Each structure stands twice: as C-alpha cells, then as structure tokens.
Amino acid sequence: MTNESQEAHQPGLAAEWDPRSEAVLADQISAFDQMRSRCPVARSQYGYASVFRHADVLRALLDHETFSSAVSRRPSVPNGMDPPEHTEFRRIIDPYFSPARMAEVEPHCRRIASEIIARVPDATETEWMEDVAQDFALRVQCAFLGWPATLHEPLRQWTRKNHRATLARDEAAMAAVALEFDGYIKDLLALRRAAGSGAPDDATTRLLGETMNGRALTEDEIVSILRNWTVGELATISASVGILTQYLATHEPLQQTLRAQPELLPAAIDEILRIHPPLIMNRRVATRDVDIGGVPIAQGERLALLWASANRDAAVFGDPDEFRLDRDPALNLLYGAGIHVCPGAPLARLELRVIMEELLKSTRGIALGAGTQAVKAFFPASGYSRLPIVIQR
C-alpha cells in the first residue's frame, strides 16, 4: 500500500499495493478509503488491478462488452457469463426470486428468525456471528432450496474450509472444497430424480425441470447455479446480519427510531451496508485495451471492482460515514448494477428485513458485549468474524 507521503495520483500511472498486507487486512474499509483518494487503479502481485472509484466501477458494471464477467476457471452460472448465454440463464433464474416466490418464503424466514432470536439469552453476552448470523443464513438458505436440516452443520464446516482455502490461495484445497460442495448437491439431485413425481416441490427440484433453447439443463449447470446461490448467500447474509447488528448496537438512537418506524428498515439496511459493505469485490476482465481514470488497461487484464470502496466514494456520497435515508438508491452498488445485478437481491433484502424486524421487536436494547472484543473479518470476507452482543428484552 502507498505510504502517507505519496503525492496525489498522476494520470496514466497506476499505484502498486498489496491488498493482503497486514495493514490492509487490519482495516480494509479504511485502506480502501485511503487508496481511493490517491488513485483510481492499483495493481497488485495477485494478477489483478483494483478499481476504487464509484464512477469507474459503475462504468465497468454497465459496459459488459468491454468488461467481461467470464473470469472464473470453473463454470459459473450465470455470474461468470456474458450475453447471450448470460441472458438465457437469467431468464430461467430470475423467476425464482419473483415477488410471488418471496411471499412464499417470508413466513419460513420469519419463523427461523423468530426462533433464533428467541433463544438468545437476556442480558448475557452472545457470540453473534456463530450463534445468530451464520445459523440464520444457513437455515434460511436450506429452507429456500428445500435442503434438509442435516446439511446445516456440513455446510457450516464447508464455509469455513472454503474461506481458509481462498485466503491461502491454495489451489489444491480450493479444488477439493469445490468438489466436496458439488458432491452435496449431486446427492440431493440424485434423490430427487429417484423420487420422480414424489420429489418435493422446491427450488432444487424445479431446476431439474428447466430447459434452455429446447434442452434440459445439464447437471453441471444446475450444480453451478446452486453453488453460486448458496456460497454467495451464506457469506453475505451472515456478514450483513453482523454488520447491521453492530451498527445498531453502537447507534442507540437509531435502534429506537427503527423500533418506532419499522417501515424505515429497508432504506436503513441498504444505507448501513453502504457504509460498511458486506462484499469486498467482484471480478472482470478487459476484452480490449481501455482507459480507466487515465490508467491504461490492456486487453486481458483482470480487474477487481471494489464495491467496498465505490460505495464510500465522497464524490458521490459526501461523508461516507454519514447515515442518511434520503440517498438515491440507484447510486448504491450493494447488489451491483447493469445486467449482472444480483438476481438474489430480493431474497437477501427479505432475509435482512425480517431478521432485523424480529430483533428490534423482541428487544428493548442492543449493545456490544464488554467481555470480549469484536474481531473484524478479513479478505475475502467483510464484516466480523467475532461479534459479542448483549440484548435486553
């Protein structure tokens, strides 16, 4: 990372930085703020260039012809695809997150949230990430997909292994973890095929009946869809629940406002997650030589679009830490933008609204625990890996 004495960015030059240095990992959000003020682009030893500014990130999101999403070594349906293939898969996937489908899911989501919040002890420090956030994300995702409760613990352990392998850039471990997850899904698909007309009517079974251009989806395509839904949901929902709870715990007046006016929750949630993003980045690759903020990017160069920086750009949001409910929601890149905007955004918004509603209506107060220090998560995650919370009923 550049040092404090470095001069402001000169057009045509990219800074160099180490996004996994101890200084950056100690406080990723602050590091991104510093880098964004100095340069639009910074290259690293990991083979990609980080893009910090809102305008540049939004440009890349909207120009899918110049900035391709086909960056994964493994099939990634649909987020690792470009049109026309991406368009066909989104036609299949988007109805799974329709308003009608979300209305079906909400009672299950609320039941799970209520059960989890009800078991949190009164006036006693609780490890929020493991006991509440991660459990909520796992149970809702399995309910949405029709997966059995017996998968909760294997998926919890799998998530941890996946994070360790990704952080270590251990290709062998990453491949083994991916193969393990695919095995869970293939077993579930095999059970549904064997059950025939007796298979449960859930999202996983429905995918087996989908067609594209007159053909059935392949098993690899279905596995990739379910992998992307699950991996993305488990990480971001648990991170988001932790971030939201920590923010409310440290902003007591906002707690009271939202208890009295729960209709403000959707906008408040999006604003809190703009201030402290649950997602660090998304990847693209340049399909031609291009210029970003005066920095030349060569065809084939890989880019990291840093949501966690773009959503705090003072050129768009002023003071990035100022909480405001009157911001233009179109500027918030929490769920992306353009043709690759997150298809699961309606489910994520539903989950976060419901668990915050249940938490606020079940408590008189939410505070940070005094006995244990909160620990921030580190790349590729965001939020907290440990979060002590005390509630008062």
Side-chain angles (χ1 to χ4, degrees):
M1 185 173 162
T2 52
N3 61 44
E4 291 293 336
S5 64
Q6 181 173 334
E7 295 181 359
H9 167 69
Q10 300 177 37
L13 298 177
E16 300 291 334
W17 80 315
D18 182 356
R20 302 185 188 183
S21 69
E22 288 187 12
V24 172
L25 294 181
D27 190 344
Q28 294 181 98
I29 304 302
S30 176
F32 299 156
D33 287 348
Q34 293 177 40
M35 291 298 292
R36 186 180 59 252
S37 70
R38 297 169 181 161
C39 62
V41 176
R43 293 186 170 96
S44 77
Q45 67 200 66
Y46 303 106
Y48 57 81
S50 298
V51 181
F52 296 98
R53 296 180 181 174
H54 188 280
D56 297 327
V57 169
L58 183 60
R59 172 191 171 195
L61 293 175
L62 298 180
D63 185 1
H64 56 268
E65 293 182 352
T66 302
F67 302 97
S68 169
S69 293
V71 295
S72 177
R73 298 178 185 177
R74 296 166 52 83
S76 183
V77 182
N79 42 324
M81 294 175 165
D82 298 316
E85 195 175 26
H86 172 268
T87 308
E88 289 301 311
F89 277 108
R90 284 297 293 255
R91 178 187 59 78
I92 293 169
I93 287 168
D94 286 357
Y96 285 78
F97 302 95
S98 68
R101 178 62 177 140
M102 294 303 96
E104 294 175 7
V105 171
E106 180 164 352
H108 302 285
C109 183
R110 192 169 297 281
R111 173 183 54 79
I112 292 167
S114 178
E115 290 174 357
I116 291 174
I117 297 300
R119 76 185 186 206
V120 176
D122 183 27
T124 302
E125 188 173 292
T126 296
E127 206 309 280
W128 204 255
M129 294 310 300
E130 184 169 346
D131 293 347
V132 176
Q134 293 170 11
D135 194 38
F136 176 73
L138 275 169
R139 290 180 60 184
V140 173
Q141 186 64 11
C142 286
F144 172 67
L145 295 174
W147 293 1
T150 53
L151 268 182
H152 292 174
E153 189 56 31
L155 284 176
R156 192 192 311 275
Q157 296 303 324
W158 179 88
T159 301
R160 293 169 179 167
K161 286 186 282 188
N162 184 53
H163 181 265
R164 288 196 297 269
T166 303
L167 178 64
R169 296 183 63 82
D170 185 332
E171 297 290 343
M174 290 166 68
V177 168
L179 189 64
E180 177 185 343
F181 185 82
D182 291 359
Y184 294 141
I185 299 177
K186 289 178 179 179
D187 288 345
L188 292 166
L189 296 178
L191 288 171
R192 283 159 170 74
R193 289 193 180 100
S197 60
D201 181 18
D202 55 35
T204 303
T205 301
R206 290 172 202 163
L207 281 172
L208 286 170
E210 298 287 3
T211 61
M212 186 176 71
N213 298 326
R215 66 165 179 84
L217 299 187
T218 68
E219 177 149 304
D220 284 347
E221 289 168 343
I222 295 173
V223 167
S224 181
I225 291 169
L226 290 170
R227 184 196 310 119
N228 283 333
W229 285 356
T230 306
V231 174
E233 281 293 294
L234 294 183
T236 56
I237 293 300
S238 59
S240 296
V241 171
I243 291 166
L244 293 169
T245 307
Q246 190 277 344
Y247 195 89
L248 292 180
T250 54
H251 295 78
E252 196 275 338
L254 181 60
Q255 286 183 46
Q256 303 309 328
T257 297
L258 295 177
R259 284 191 181 92
Q261 298 176 272
E263 68 276 10
L264 298 178
L265 262 172
I269 288 169
D270 280 8
E271 175 68 350
I272 293 168
L273 297 181
R274 180 201 63 76
I275 293 170
H276 188 161
L279 293 169
I280 294 296
M281 70 172 192
N282 196 242
R283 297 179 297 164
R284 295 292 189 271
V285 60
T287 62
R288 61 180 178 85
D289 292 349
V290 67
D291 177 282
I292 296 179
V295 176
I297 303 295
Q299 178 181 351
E301 186 164 0
R302 293 175 177 267
L303 305 173
L305 307 181
L306 291 176
W307 320 111
S309 172
N311 257 356
R312 293 176 52 81
D313 193 333
V316 176
F317 300 104
D319 178 356
D321 291 308
E322 181 186 6
F323 177 89
R324 287 175 46 187
L325 293 177
D326 62 347
R327 297 189 188 277
D328 181 353
L331 297 175
N332 191 333
L333 301 180
L334 176 61
Y335 296 102
I339 65 168
H340 287 282
V341 66
C342 177
L347 177 60
R349 285 193 162 108
L350 167 66
E351 292 180 64
L352 297 175
R353 172 178 60 81
V354 165
I355 194 167
M356 289 296 110
E357 286 174 349
E358 293 299 316
L359 175 61
L360 288 166
K361 78 179 186 182
S362 301
T363 60
R364 292 184 296 110
I366 306 163
L368 294 181
T372 309
Q373 195 77 11
V375 177
K376 291 179 180 178
F378 47 82
F379 184 90
S382 183
Y384 300 90
S385 59
R386 185 180 304 129
L387 180 64
I389 292 291
V390 176
I391 65 169
Q392 293 179 332
R393 296 192 185 277

Short mmCIF file of all heavy atoms in Angstrom, two decimals, residues 25 48 56 145 147 154 174 184 249 274 291 298 300 324 374:
data_model
loop_
_atom_site.label_atom_id
_atom_site.label_comp_id
_atom_site.label_asym_id
_atom_site.label_seq_id
_atom_site.Cartn_x
_atom_site.Cartn_y
_atom_site.Cartn_z
N LEU A 25 -5.44 -5.63 5.79
CA LEU A 25 -6.35 -6.58 6.41
C LEU A 25 -6.80 -6.13 7.79
O LEU A 25 -7.87 -6.51 8.26
CB LEU A 25 -5.70 -7.96 6.49
CG LEU A 25 -5.42 -8.65 5.14
CD1 LEU A 25 -4.78 -10.02 5.37
CD2 LEU A 25 -6.70 -8.80 4.33
N TYR A 48 -4.27 -8.90 -10.59
CA TYR A 48 -5.40 -8.08 -10.99
C TYR A 48 -5.18 -6.64 -10.54
O TYR A 48 -4.36 -6.37 -9.66
CB TYR A 48 -6.72 -8.63 -10.45
CG TYR A 48 -6.79 -8.78 -8.95
CD1 TYR A 48 -7.06 -7.70 -8.13
CD2 TYR A 48 -6.59 -10.03 -8.36
CE1 TYR A 48 -7.13 -7.84 -6.75
CE2 TYR A 48 -6.67 -10.17 -6.97
CZ TYR A 48 -6.94 -9.08 -6.18
OH TYR A 48 -7.00 -9.22 -4.82
N ASP A 56 -15.89 4.69 -11.94
CA ASP A 56 -15.17 3.68 -12.72
C ASP A 56 -15.77 2.29 -12.52
O ASP A 56 -15.88 1.50 -13.46
CB ASP A 56 -13.69 3.67 -12.32
CG ASP A 56 -13.01 4.99 -12.63
OD1 ASP A 56 -13.38 5.64 -13.63
OD2 ASP A 56 -12.11 5.38 -11.86
N LEU A 145 -34.12 -23.55 -0.58
CA LEU A 145 -33.78 -24.54 -1.60
C LEU A 145 -34.43 -25.90 -1.34
O LEU A 145 -34.37 -26.78 -2.21
CB LEU A 145 -32.26 -24.72 -1.67
CG LEU A 145 -31.48 -23.49 -2.15
CD1 LEU A 145 -29.99 -23.73 -2.02
CD2 LEU A 145 -31.85 -23.14 -3.58
N TRP A 147 -33.53 -27.94 1.23
CA TRP A 147 -32.50 -28.86 1.68
C TRP A 147 -32.74 -29.25 3.14
O TRP A 147 -33.24 -28.44 3.93
CB TRP A 147 -31.12 -28.21 1.54
CG TRP A 147 -30.72 -28.00 0.10
CD1 TRP A 147 -31.46 -28.30 -1.01
CD2 TRP A 147 -29.51 -27.42 -0.37
NE1 TRP A 147 -30.79 -27.94 -2.15
CE2 TRP A 147 -29.58 -27.40 -1.79
CE3 TRP A 147 -28.38 -26.92 0.25
CZ2 TRP A 147 -28.56 -26.90 -2.58
CZ3 TRP A 147 -27.36 -26.41 -0.53
CH2 TRP A 147 -27.44 -26.41 -1.93
N PRO A 154 -22.68 -29.69 8.03
CA PRO A 154 -21.70 -29.84 6.95
C PRO A 154 -21.47 -28.55 6.17
O PRO A 154 -20.33 -28.24 5.81
CB PRO A 154 -22.33 -30.93 6.07
CG PRO A 154 -23.17 -31.74 7.00
CD PRO A 154 -23.71 -30.74 7.98
N MET A 174 -8.73 -25.45 -2.69
CA MET A 174 -9.91 -24.84 -3.28
C MET A 174 -10.64 -25.84 -4.18
O MET A 174 -11.88 -25.93 -4.16
CB MET A 174 -9.54 -23.59 -4.08
CG MET A 174 -9.09 -22.42 -3.20
SD MET A 174 -8.28 -21.09 -4.12
CE MET A 174 -9.64 -20.45 -5.07
N TYR A 184 -22.38 -32.67 -2.33
CA TYR A 184 -23.63 -32.48 -1.59
C TYR A 184 -24.79 -32.26 -2.56
O TYR A 184 -25.87 -32.85 -2.43
CB TYR A 184 -23.54 -31.27 -0.65
CG TYR A 184 -22.55 -31.39 0.47
CD1 TYR A 184 -21.77 -30.30 0.86
CD2 TYR A 184 -22.40 -32.58 1.18
CE1 TYR A 184 -20.87 -30.39 1.91
CE2 TYR A 184 -21.50 -32.67 2.24
CZ TYR A 184 -20.74 -31.59 2.59
OH TYR A 184 -19.84 -31.68 3.63
N ALA A 249 -26.05 -1.60 17.56
CA ALA A 249 -25.53 -1.64 18.93
C ALA A 249 -24.74 -0.39 19.28
O ALA A 249 -24.68 0.01 20.45
CB ALA A 249 -24.66 -2.88 19.12
N ARG A 274 -24.11 0.18 2.88
CA ARG A 274 -23.27 1.04 2.04
C ARG A 274 -22.09 1.54 2.85
O ARG A 274 -20.94 1.53 2.38
CB ARG A 274 -24.09 2.23 1.50
CG ARG A 274 -23.25 3.18 0.61
CD ARG A 274 -23.86 4.55 0.52
NE ARG A 274 -23.93 5.25 1.79
CZ ARG A 274 -22.88 5.82 2.39
NH1 ARG A 274 -21.66 5.75 1.86
NH2 ARG A 274 -23.03 6.43 3.56
N ASP A 291 -9.05 2.62 -21.09
CA ASP A 291 -8.50 3.56 -20.13
C ASP A 291 -9.47 3.69 -18.96
O ASP A 291 -10.68 3.86 -19.16
CB ASP A 291 -8.31 4.93 -20.82
CG ASP A 291 -7.80 6.00 -19.86
OD1 ASP A 291 -8.61 6.51 -19.07
OD2 ASP A 291 -6.61 6.32 -19.93
N ALA A 298 -4.76 -3.07 -20.30
CA ALA A 298 -4.54 -3.86 -21.51
C ALA A 298 -5.62 -4.92 -21.67
O ALA A 298 -6.20 -5.41 -20.70
CB ALA A 298 -3.17 -4.52 -21.45
N GLY A 300 -7.23 -8.28 -21.75
CA GLY A 300 -6.90 -9.47 -20.97
C GLY A 300 -6.52 -9.21 -19.53
O GLY A 300 -6.39 -10.15 -18.74
N ARG A 324 -27.69 8.43 6.09
CA ARG A 324 -28.79 9.22 5.54
C ARG A 324 -29.80 8.30 4.87
O ARG A 324 -29.42 7.35 4.17
CB ARG A 324 -28.27 10.23 4.52
CG ARG A 324 -27.51 11.40 5.11
CD ARG A 324 -26.92 12.30 4.03
NE ARG A 324 -27.88 12.60 2.98
CZ ARG A 324 -27.56 13.26 1.86
NH1 ARG A 324 -26.32 13.67 1.67
NH2 ARG A 324 -28.47 13.49 0.94
N ALA A 374 -14.74 -7.42 19.66
CA ALA A 374 -15.17 -7.77 18.30
C ALA A 374 -13.93 -7.94 17.42
O ALA A 374 -12.93 -7.23 17.59
CB ALA A 374 -16.07 -6.69 17.74
#
